[in-house]
Amino acid sequence: MNDINPVDQIHPDSLDDIKLASHSDNSRFRSKVWEEFTPVYVEGRIQGAECLHCHKRLSADKGRSHLNRHTQTCPARGETGINHKGPFSPSSAPSFKSGVQDELSPALTNGKVQIAEYASKLLKVNSSVDKTPQSQHILALPARDNMTKEQNASSTHAAPDVSTSKFDQETSYQELIRMVVLHGYPLSIVEHEEMKRFAKSLNPLFNMASSIDVEEYSTLLYQKEKADLKEKIAALSSRRISLSASIWAPHGAEPTVKYICLTAHFIDAEWRLQRKIIKFGVFWSLPTDLERMILHKEACVLDSESGPYNVIAEAISDWNLDNNLFSLISVSEIRNHEGTTKLKDMLIQKNSLPIRGELYNIACVDDVLNNIVSKGQSMLHLVDNILERFMLAHAYSSLTQQQLFEAVTNMGLKCPQEDAKWWHKIYFRLEVVLHCKKAFPSEELLPAEDYKVVESICKILRAFYHAIEVISGPVCPTANVYFNELWKVRTTLQEEASTDHTEVASMVREMQEAFHEYWENSYLWLSIPIVLDPRFKITFIEFRLKRAFGAEAAKYVAAVREIIRELFHEYCGPVDKGVHTSNNEARDVEMDGFDSDSLEDWDQHLSAQSRSQRLSELDNYLEDGLVPRKDDFDILNWWMIHSTKYPTLSVMAQDVLAMPSSALHCKAAFSSEGPVIHRQWSTLNIKTIEALVCTQDWIR
């Protein structure tokens, strides 16, 4: 006999065709045997019984004597305790205000919930299947094991089992909270009548949570996830954490409050790059925002609780990062704030920052690139005129609208959103113009001079777009990527500066000046990850800086060498510190005013030997040959494999390569609004917003 899939044999039908259990069937439940069993329905009639203790299925359509015998011999009956006063017992189960209440009532017994009759009103066995005993299917909750041998003794053919899990209110709540948080739904969605009806249609026993419940459960989930992440970061005891800080604002009208979002960047124990939001606080708010006070039911945020100094300092303390900080990347609004400078001075005094805070409060790269592009805003009128001529020419050409859409689709470039930055929109339109020229060479939509300008400006904007896309992409890049992406921008500007178009050349020179100023201030931290890339090392830095600084390159290369060694010395610090202490103790030991053994020379020898051995690790790495360049090269995997050969340098490489260059995700980096809080969340108090934003990031 072929196996029949019960799911394939069930289909929805009208309620009128379903034969329900009659009211007289309720008399069957007067027997005390039903205190030990849960009834199982088949097409509206009782055909089986499930033991509440061992969960065996027995037939129940031809008498109850064998059920009594089972209760006397059930091996699990003495071990289980059935709570008849549970949350879903008959006294506490919700009533169903519908026409099927009588048919369902027998199933609400012994703390178990049966909704077979409810399901049978919506489903029936396919009429094309022969209604023999073996093709009749049990529709019941809960359903576990197949009918036992005792059932087979009274019935030749056993019915197939349709397994389904028991209803759990707590689990349902957890899934509901995760859905609301993950997708940024308003907390009040649970109070919408449509949502309540939908949930009841899935399971009439589910009690919908209130918005207050959702807020409380979200906080509990936040606390749980935070504890897990704290434990994960604490396990990296010998490692340092990099931070990035960005500004968020409520979506919509002119904001009366701005938030600071602090993200931790690190490489975990499995050598995977991690990016996790660890703090969300108030950066600035209007003290006279009465409406916000009323909506949030909270007092104005005090100056002592807002601003970068207070928010970042609180996060450092809360996450125990006092001695584990490596770098801070921030957007200009935070970077130029006096509170950020004040915090840097305080951390330097506490010796909490490596290499004298050189890597603290670095400018966000995409922020800088956007500012450099803005230098070309004077060219906007020229580009607008060209684009206008293109659209007019297209309107009078033989090209259809559909052909234009197909050409744009084949570009493989995403169309900018409505809130995209002005230059991103212009770049996209210029790419469309060039792609149409390539796709339809016979159509003369623009004169040659216009195409030349389009190609030049598009090439510049393409370099900026690609750099920001890589640096701020959804997949976190390692820090060795940044130098090359910025070098491409520099090279493009250098090439286009020689154009014979006066206005374009003038725009490029302004961009070059801004880029050179940034490069002068940032080449040092950008070079460190390149030195720790085994494909390039210091040789590549020498090669590039000679092109960047010409005859003065030697002093810039020397600065890179010096900061690499200084940073490495700090990672070798504990051993050197111990030797230094022993030297002091040896010098302090005197006997009757005379040096006891005068072993200072020996201690100095050991100190020099230890230092030499430590430094040889860095020297050996720099002197070893370069690794061949390959497209699939995984730098984290390389350092993990070579961590035994370079134990100290590999720890340093982990911290350096985790260093971010952007505080924004790609979408926000190209948006004129920047990162925004969901409109439905912005009316909550700051603690709830922090819980939602952080948890959403952690459970993605």
Side-chain angles (χ1 to χ4, degrees):
M1 181 179 66
N2 295 331
D3 293 336
I4 300 174
N5 187 345
V7 178
D8 294 336
Q9 309 304 324
I10 299 175
H11 70 92
D13 207 336
S14 66
L15 302 182
D16 297 334
D17 295 333
I18 306 299
K19 183 177 181 182
L20 301 176
S22 65
H23 184 74
S24 61
D25 285 335
N26 294 349
S27 60
R28 297 187 179 189
F29 292 90
R30 295 173 183 171
S31 172
K32 291 186 178 181
V33 73
W34 291 111
E35 295 177 3
E36 310 291 341
F37 289 90
T38 298
V40 178
Y41 288 89
V42 176
E43 294 189 338
R45 294 191 177 279
I46 300 170
Q47 296 292 326
E50 179 177 315
C51 178
L52 294 175
H53 308 285
C54 66
H55 301 291
K56 288 184 179 180
R57 289 261 183 93
L58 309 174
S59 63
D61 57 338
K62 297 180 180 179
R64 306 286 183 268
S65 57
H66 63 296
L67 299 182
N68 282 319
R69 288 196 300 272
H70 177 80
T71 59
Q72 297 173 8
T73 59
C74 177
R77 187 166 179 258
E79 301 173 4
T80 60
I82 305 301
N83 180 11
H84 294 271
K85 298 297 181 181
F88 297 114
S89 63
S91 60
S92 62
S95 61
F96 300 95
K97 298 179 180 179
S98 65
V100 297
Q101 182 173 2
D102 289 339
E103 288 81 11
L104 283 171
S105 58
L108 301 175
T109 60
N110 297 313
K112 295 284 184 175
V113 179
Q114 295 289 319
I115 56 170
E117 277 304 295
Y118 190 79
S120 70
K121 294 189 68 175
L122 303 177
L123 305 170
K124 82 169 189 177
V125 180
N126 194 316
S127 57
S128 62
V129 181
D130 182 24
K131 299 289 195 316
T132 55
Q134 65 265 26
S135 67
Q136 294 178 344
H137 309 297
I138 297 176
L139 301 175
L141 290 176
R144 301 193 178 201
D145 303 324
N146 290 333
M147 292 294 186
T148 62
K149 293 181 180 180
E150 292 185 49
Q151 177 191 15
N152 294 333
S154 59
S155 177
T156 307
H157 302 286
D161 176 36
V162 181
S163 296
T164 176
S165 60
K166 293 189 293 184
F167 169 70
D168 187 333
Q169 180 81 28
E170 189 71 18
T171 301
S172 299
Y173 270 2
Q174 292 173 5
E175 293 300 323
L176 174 65
I177 300 308
R178 292 180 71 89
M179 178 191 74
V180 171
V181 172
L182 189 60
H183 296 284
Y185 296 142
L187 306 192
S188 60
I189 191 174
V190 295
E191 295 173 349
H192 296 174
E193 288 301 321
E194 295 78 7
M195 174 60 78
K196 292 180 180 179
R197 286 199 298 270
F198 174 69
K200 284 293 183 183
S201 70
L202 296 177
N203 193 326
L205 295 163
F206 177 68
N207 295 318
M208 180 59 77
S210 67
S211 59
I212 296 177
D213 293 333
V214 174
E215 187 171 347
E216 291 177 353
Y217 269 79
S218 300
T219 302
L220 291 174
L221 180 59
Y222 162 70
Q223 292 170 348
K224 175 186 177 298
E225 295 292 336
K226 182 178 181 179
D228 292 344
L229 183 56
K230 270 190 171 183
E231 184 178 346
K232 189 175 184 180
I233 292 178
L236 308 173
S237 56
S238 62
R239 302 269 310 289
R240 291 180 175 269
I241 307 296
S242 288
L243 302 175
S244 63
S246 59
I247 297 293
W248 292 39
H251 186 274
E254 188 70 20
T256 58
V257 61
K258 288 186 178 181
Y259 305 97
I260 179 171
C261 179
L262 199 65
T263 304
H265 304 255
F266 59 94
I267 293 172
D268 63 19
E270 286 74 38
W271 288 81
R272 294 175 301 190
L273 187 55
Q274 300 287 348
R275 176 172 59 187
K276 303 290 184 182
I277 296 175
I278 62 170
K279 183 65 179 176
F280 200 85
V282 174
F283 175 73
W284 160 87
S285 65
L286 281 178
T288 57
D289 187 6
L290 179 61
E291 292 81 6
R292 179 173 175 80
M293 290 172 58
I294 295 173
L295 288 171
H296 292 219
K297 297 180 176 60
E298 64 177 355
C300 288
V301 178
L302 302 175
D303 290 341
S304 60
E305 299 174 356
S306 62
Y309 179 88
N310 297 301
V311 174
I312 298 176
E314 183 183 343
I316 291 173
S317 175
D318 184 24
W319 291 80
N320 300 316
L321 302 178
D322 304 71
N323 298 312
N324 299 91
L325 287 177
F326 188 75
S327 70
L328 171 68
I329 307 292
S330 56
V331 296
S332 57
E333 203 167 349
I334 296 174
R335 184 167 178 263
N336 299 327
H337 195 281
E338 62 180 1
T340 309
T341 305
K342 177 183 175 184
L343 181 60
K344 179 180 179 179
D345 294 338
M346 184 267 286
L347 292 172
I348 290 175
Q349 287 180 357
K350 294 174 62 177
N351 294 322
S352 297
L353 300 176
I355 47 178
R356 309 173 314 283
E358 288 286 341
L359 303 177
Y360 184 88
N361 205 18
I362 295 173
C364 185
V365 172
D366 48 19
D367 201 24
V368 172
L369 293 179
N370 276 309
N371 290 334
I372 295 174
V373 175
S374 66
K375 302 295 182 181
Q377 201 160 1
S378 59
M379 282 292 296
L380 191 60
H381 70 280
L382 178 63
V383 175
D384 277 347
N385 291 338
I386 294 176
L387 291 173
E388 185 178 348
R389 288 195 291 272
F390 171 79
M391 293 306 297
L392 286 173
H394 170 265
Y396 289 102
S397 71
S398 60
L399 297 177
T400 64
Q401 192 84 354
Q402 183 62 30
Q403 286 177 304
L404 179 63
F405 288 156
E406 290 177 359
V408 172
T409 303
N410 293 332
M411 283 170 48
L413 195 64
K414 290 183 179 180
C415 182
Q417 299 296 321
E418 291 184 4
D419 65 341
K421 294 185 182 295
W422 64 269
W423 70 265
H424 183 198
K425 294 179 180 179
I426 288 179
Y427 164 61
F428 179 79
R429 294 165 188 170
L430 295 179
E431 289 283 19
V432 171
V433 172
L434 294 179
H435 195 80
C436 285
K437 178 188 177 184
K438 181 180 179 181
F440 313 109
S442 60
E443 298 288 340
E444 297 183 3
L445 301 176
L446 286 175
E449 184 64 25
D450 283 352
Y451 274 124
K452 190 175 181 180
V453 173
V454 168
E455 288 172 354
S456 180
I457 297 178
C458 190
K459 182 180 178 181
I460 294 170
L461 297 182
R462 186 184 298 127
F464 281 91
Y465 176 84
H466 181 74
I468 294 176
E469 187 179 41
V470 171
I471 288 170
S472 306
V475 179
C476 301
T478 46
N480 60 310
V481 171
Y482 311 146
F483 188 103
N484 289 330
E485 290 303 320
L486 289 170
W487 189 264
K488 292 176 187 176
V489 173
R490 180 190 178 278
T491 302
T492 301
L493 292 176
Q494 193 172 24
E495 292 172 352
E496 295 308 309
S498 59
T499 180
D500 54 3
H501 194 287
T502 307
E503 291 184 83
V504 175
S506 176
M507 176 195 73
V508 173
R509 280 194 295 271
E510 284 190 61
M511 289 183 173
Q512 279 184 305
E513 289 177 8
F515 186 88
H516 181 75
E517 181 182 352
Y518 169 71
W519 189 263
E520 185 83 18
N521 296 325
S522 306
Y523 80 94
L524 205 55
W525 80 266
L526 290 168
S527 299
I528 295 174
I530 290 293
V531 175
L532 294 175
D533 189 328
R535 299 170 297 174
F536 302 115
K537 302 184 180 180
I538 198 71
T539 307
F540 181 82
I541 296 299
E542 292 175 338
F543 174 73
R544 282 286 184 243
L545 294 188
K546 283 179 181 178
R547 293 199 172 192
F549 300 112
E552 297 181 348
K555 70 176 184 180
Y556 292 98
V557 174
V560 174
R561 289 183 180 275
E562 182 181 346
I563 202 165
I564 285 287
R565 288 195 176 276
E566 183 180 354
L567 183 60
F568 182 71
H569 284 177
E570 291 188 15
Y571 276 81
C572 298
V575 172
D576 291 342
K577 182 178 179 182
V579 173
H580 178 69
T581 301
S582 65
N583 288 338
N584 289 337
E585 291 174 352
R587 284 194 293 269
D588 290 340
V589 174
E590 295 185 358
M591 184 179 296
D592 296 329
F594 184 75
D595 262 348
S596 59
D597 259 339
S598 189
L599 295 177
E600 281 189 38
D601 55 343
W602 172 248
D603 292 328
Q604 291 172 357
H605 170 72
L606 291 179
S607 177
Q609 189 178 55
S610 175
R611 186 182 301 276
S612 176
Q613 290 174 350
R614 288 276 183 167
L615 291 178
S616 65
E617 183 180 323
L618 176 60
D619 292 332
N620 291 340
Y621 166 76
L622 293 176
E623 292 169 4
D624 284 347
L626 299 178
V627 173
R629 288 193 299 116
K630 295 181 180 179
D631 293 337
D632 60 346
F633 178 74
D634 186 340
I635 189 170
L636 295 181
N637 185 63
W638 189 92
W639 276 107
M640 180 179 66
I641 293 172
H642 292 80
S643 59
T644 304
K645 184 177 182 180
Y646 308 113
T648 304
L649 204 56
S650 63
V651 174
M652 174 175 149
Q654 282 181 299
D655 296 344
V656 169
L657 294 174
M659 188 166 47
S661 67
S662 172
L664 305 176
H665 289 268
C666 193
K667 184 178 179 181
F670 288 118
S671 170
S672 58
E673 294 183 336
V676 295
I677 292 289
H678 297 293
R679 187 190 304 273
Q680 53 267 26
W681 286 0
S682 62
T683 57
L684 302 169
N685 66 67
I686 183 58
K687 291 300 181 183
T688 302
I689 295 176
E690 180 181 24
L692 293 171
V693 171
C694 290
T695 307
Q696 184 185 62
D697 178 66
W698 298 338
I699 66 176
R700 286 187 190 279

